[in-house]
Amino acid sequence: MSQHTSNHHAKSETGIEGLDQITGGGLPAGLISLAYGNPGSGKTILAIQYLVHGALKLEEHGLLVTFEENAEELNQNFSSLGINLDNLISKGNLCVEHVDLDDEFSESGDFTLEGLQIRISHLVKKHAVKRIVIDGIEALLSRFNAEALVRNELRKLMRWLRKMGVTTLFTGEISDSGSKHGFEAYLADCVLMLDHRVIDQLATRRLRVIKYRGSSHGQNEYPFLITKNGLSILPITSLLLEHQVFTSRVPTGLDFLDASMQGGYYKGSSILVSGSPGSGKSSLAAHFTDATCKSGKRCLYLAFEESPEQIMRNMKSINIDLSAHIKNGNLLIHSTRPTRQGLEAHLIEIQALLNDFKPDCVVVDPVTNFITAGSAIDVRLMFIRMVDLFKINGITSMFVALHHLNDYKSDSIHSVSSLMDTWISVSNDVENGVSKRSMLVIKSRGTQHNTQIASFNITSQGIQLVNSSNSST
């Protein structure tokens, strides 16, 4: 059922991931909503998804009124999203009414929307329509200069739609200088603003609920992507520190590390492995990945520096065969460059991977590469959102971070370390011309752990302990 009570108002589910959470259940049922934004921001996609969700999932027939594209053009455009509008139309779940502005409206005579109202009324009664989208209202309103008259006609149309009891969503375009009219937003009960911007040559889309009469809602900007499945919105700032806490442990992949940490990492915790180049960070992450997959759990490896083939080749040199885990479906390595897209886009892409692969553990290697993809503040916000995303899904996450020699207190590391439950620092020092690797558990919340520096070697059989102290706190 699409309508439920939230904040004293019935809501009409949009079916768009994240949007129903932001709006407290969906659009105001039986009332008027407006989605507006600049060209290419995703307004029409949002509107079509709203209609399709109602038709396919909730048996609510929809009506699309368009002033620009006809049914054939719309079907062609939305087929890339896996939406077959022709099929919905043939089954009677959706009807598309294309209004030719040149034939229907002109500047001569008084401007009136009575003809449009009659057409909508006929279709609503004929098809038992529950949801209406009027797409591109700006195309209609921009043809007329008598603002007071246009405002009055639009007010009458919205009042009539409310009396009909159907949920209506208008879409409108706004330029960089703003809407020509602007009063559409004042007349609507709920207003969504979609924005497509380019910052430092990286495109990003964001959504904001400008107003929602009589209902609480998320008030910040929310990044979203347009994927093969349509809009995907991550309501990041609504995430609270209410994730489930686990007492069970997951193996580190190293017997001596498990022994020094009461059996391993807490399930659902976040682990930071920081170190200088060649200190064994990725090897430690590979042991964790291998142990996860061998236990029958799934691991998602997010690589931001090496390709999957390169990672698998390198780890074979320490007797870790990651390819076997990929073949049996327990491991997915996803490689990309941090600068390929904006930080928000990366976050939503990660969310999509979580939804599809459903991992128990995630490795991010190296997380510090994101420093090149945004400002220090934006990157820290990205870390917070990523950690929260993993925690609310009960996923144990390991973040690999690079720092320069003897500089584990650098700003880039501190921006991550305060968010972590466990922090392991590894180093690669040179003594008398010989490389010497060491490991130190700097912190591990809720866990007694070894506080001494442990020396280790990376051998053909993996990480091997050289010596260790048994003292702990």
Side-chain angles (χ1 to χ4, degrees):
M1 188 173 180
S2 74
Q3 297 182 3
H4 59 88
T5 302
S6 176
N7 301 317
H8 310 295
H9 269 296
K11 301 294 180 78
S12 179
E13 292 177 10
T14 67
I16 296 173
E17 185 175 14
L19 183 56
D20 288 332
Q21 181 181 348
I22 294 168
T23 56
L27 303 179
L31 298 177
I32 308 297
S33 297
L34 168 67
Y36 74 102
N38 53 4
S41 56
K43 306 177 296 297
T44 302
I45 295 177
L46 184 151
I48 295 294
Q49 279 188 259
Y50 171 68
L51 289 178
V52 171
H53 177 71
L56 290 179
K57 303 295 184 181
L58 305 169
E59 298 183 353
E60 294 186 353
H61 293 177
L63 167 62
L64 172 62
V65 180
T66 173
F67 303 105
E68 296 175 334
E69 298 173 292
N70 57 36
E72 182 179 351
E73 292 169 331
L74 285 167
N75 187 66
Q76 183 177 0
N77 292 338
F78 280 89
S79 61
S80 62
L81 298 177
I83 297 175
N84 190 332
L85 295 181
D86 278 347
N87 186 47
L88 292 173
I89 293 171
S90 64
K91 291 182 178 180
N93 295 324
L94 176 68
C95 53
V96 177
E97 185 74 359
H98 178 244
V99 179
D100 192 316
L101 294 177
D102 293 328
D103 292 341
E104 298 287 339
F105 299 95
S106 67
E107 277 284 6
S108 60
D110 292 336
F111 171 72
T112 176
L113 294 177
E114 184 177 350
L116 178 62
Q117 181 175 321
I118 292 173
R119 293 171 70 167
I120 293 175
S121 178
H122 169 72
L123 292 169
V124 167
K125 294 175 181 177
K126 180 180 178 180
H127 298 281
V129 169
K130 296 296 184 182
R131 300 179 174 214
I132 297 176
V133 165
I134 300 179
D135 186 38
I137 190 66
E138 196 72 17
L140 171 62
L141 302 182
S142 62
R143 296 171 66 91
F144 302 93
N145 295 316
E147 183 171 309
L149 180 60
V150 172
R151 177 196 288 259
N152 186 56
E153 284 297 309
L154 189 59
R155 181 185 288 111
K156 288 195 296 184
L157 175 63
M158 289 185 173
R159 185 185 302 122
W160 174 78
L161 288 167
R162 290 188 183 96
K163 288 182 179 179
M164 290 281 288
V166 292
T167 307
T168 306
L169 173 61
F170 286 82
T171 72
E173 190 168 295
I174 185 171
S175 65
D176 293 337
S177 59
S179 170
K180 178 180 178 181
H181 298 280
F183 55 77
E184 312 96 291
Y186 292 100
L187 298 175
D189 301 290
C190 173
V191 179
L192 310 176
M193 183 179 71
L194 290 80
D195 179 43
H196 187 200
R197 69 187 72 166
V198 178
I199 302 175
D200 294 332
Q201 303 180 41
L202 293 174
T204 182
R205 290 182 169 90
R206 300 187 184 186
L207 178 144
R208 181 186 172 201
V209 182
I210 300 297
K211 77 171 184 180
Y212 200 135
R213 287 174 181 159
S215 175
S216 60
H217 56 84
Q219 300 182 24
N220 299 309
E221 285 189 318
Y222 302 93
F224 70 93
L225 282 183
I226 298 177
T227 69
K228 63 180 180 179
N229 298 318
L231 264 70
S232 179
I233 305 169
L234 183 65
I236 45 179
T237 50
S238 68
L239 298 178
L240 302 176
L241 294 176
E242 298 176 348
H243 52 269
Q244 184 178 357
V245 175
F246 301 90
T247 57
S248 58
R249 301 274 181 171
V250 296
T252 67
L254 296 169
D255 291 341
F256 72 86
L257 194 55
D258 287 340
S260 70
M261 297 185 62
Q262 298 183 309
Y265 311 121
Y266 276 124
K267 172 181 166 58
S269 65
S270 53
I271 304 105
L272 172 65
V273 178
S274 66
S276 56
S279 56
K281 305 179 301 299
S282 294
S283 297
L284 196 60
H287 276 283
F288 172 64
T289 301
D290 187 48
T292 297
C293 296
K294 283 182 177 178
S295 67
K297 305 296 185 181
R298 284 188 162 191
C299 182
L300 172 63
Y301 199 113
L302 301 172
F304 297 99
E305 199 167 63
E306 299 176 297
S307 68
E309 292 76 14
Q310 190 175 3
I311 293 171
M312 287 186 287
R313 182 204 64 189
N314 294 344
M315 294 309 141
K316 276 187 178 181
S317 68
I318 59 172
N319 199 34
I320 295 178
D321 185 10
L322 297 179
S323 62
H325 301 314
I326 293 177
K327 289 177 182 178
N328 64 28
N330 285 338
L331 175 62
L332 173 63
I333 302 178
H334 178 78
S335 296
T336 187
R337 292 287 185 189
T339 52
R340 181 177 67 88
Q341 56 191 5
L343 295 172
E344 295 92 348
H346 277 292
L347 196 62
I348 296 174
E349 186 174 63
I350 291 171
Q351 182 188 39
L353 289 168
L354 299 185
N355 293 339
D356 292 340
F357 188 63
K358 296 178 172 53
D360 300 281
C361 300
V362 173
V363 172
V364 183
D365 182 16
V367 69
T368 39
N369 274 24
F370 280 107
I371 295 172
T372 62
S375 67
I377 294 177
D378 288 339
V379 171
R380 177 169 174 78
L381 287 174
M382 163 72 165
F383 293 157
I384 293 172
R385 296 162 183 171
M386 195 186 304
V387 171
D388 284 344
L389 181 61
F390 295 148
K391 282 183 175 292
I392 63 173
N393 285 284
I395 295 172
T396 309
S397 55
M398 176 174 285
F399 298 83
V400 176
L402 173 68
H403 63 69
H404 297 294
L405 292 171
N406 303 318
D407 189 25
Y408 71 86
K409 295 183 179 180
S410 64
D411 292 340
S412 62
I413 299 302
H414 264 285
S415 66
V416 187
S417 63
S418 62
L419 306 173
M420 299 292 107
D421 299 301
T422 297
W423 180 7
I424 300 174
S425 176
V426 290
S427 62
N428 185 18
D429 301 318
V430 178
E431 292 184 5
N432 300 320
V434 178
S435 175
K436 182 180 179 181
R437 292 183 174 91
S438 60
M439 177 188 307
L440 173 64
V441 179
I442 296 178
K443 72 172 184 178
S444 190
R445 293 168 178 161
T447 300
Q448 290 187 342
H449 59 87
N450 198 310
T451 59
Q452 299 297 313
I453 295 176
S455 297
F456 67 92
N457 292 326
I458 299 179
T459 73
S460 60
Q461 297 303 308
I463 292 179
Q464 300 288 332
L465 183 66
V466 175
N467 57 67
S468 177
S469 172
N470 291 326
S471 65
S472 61
T473 61

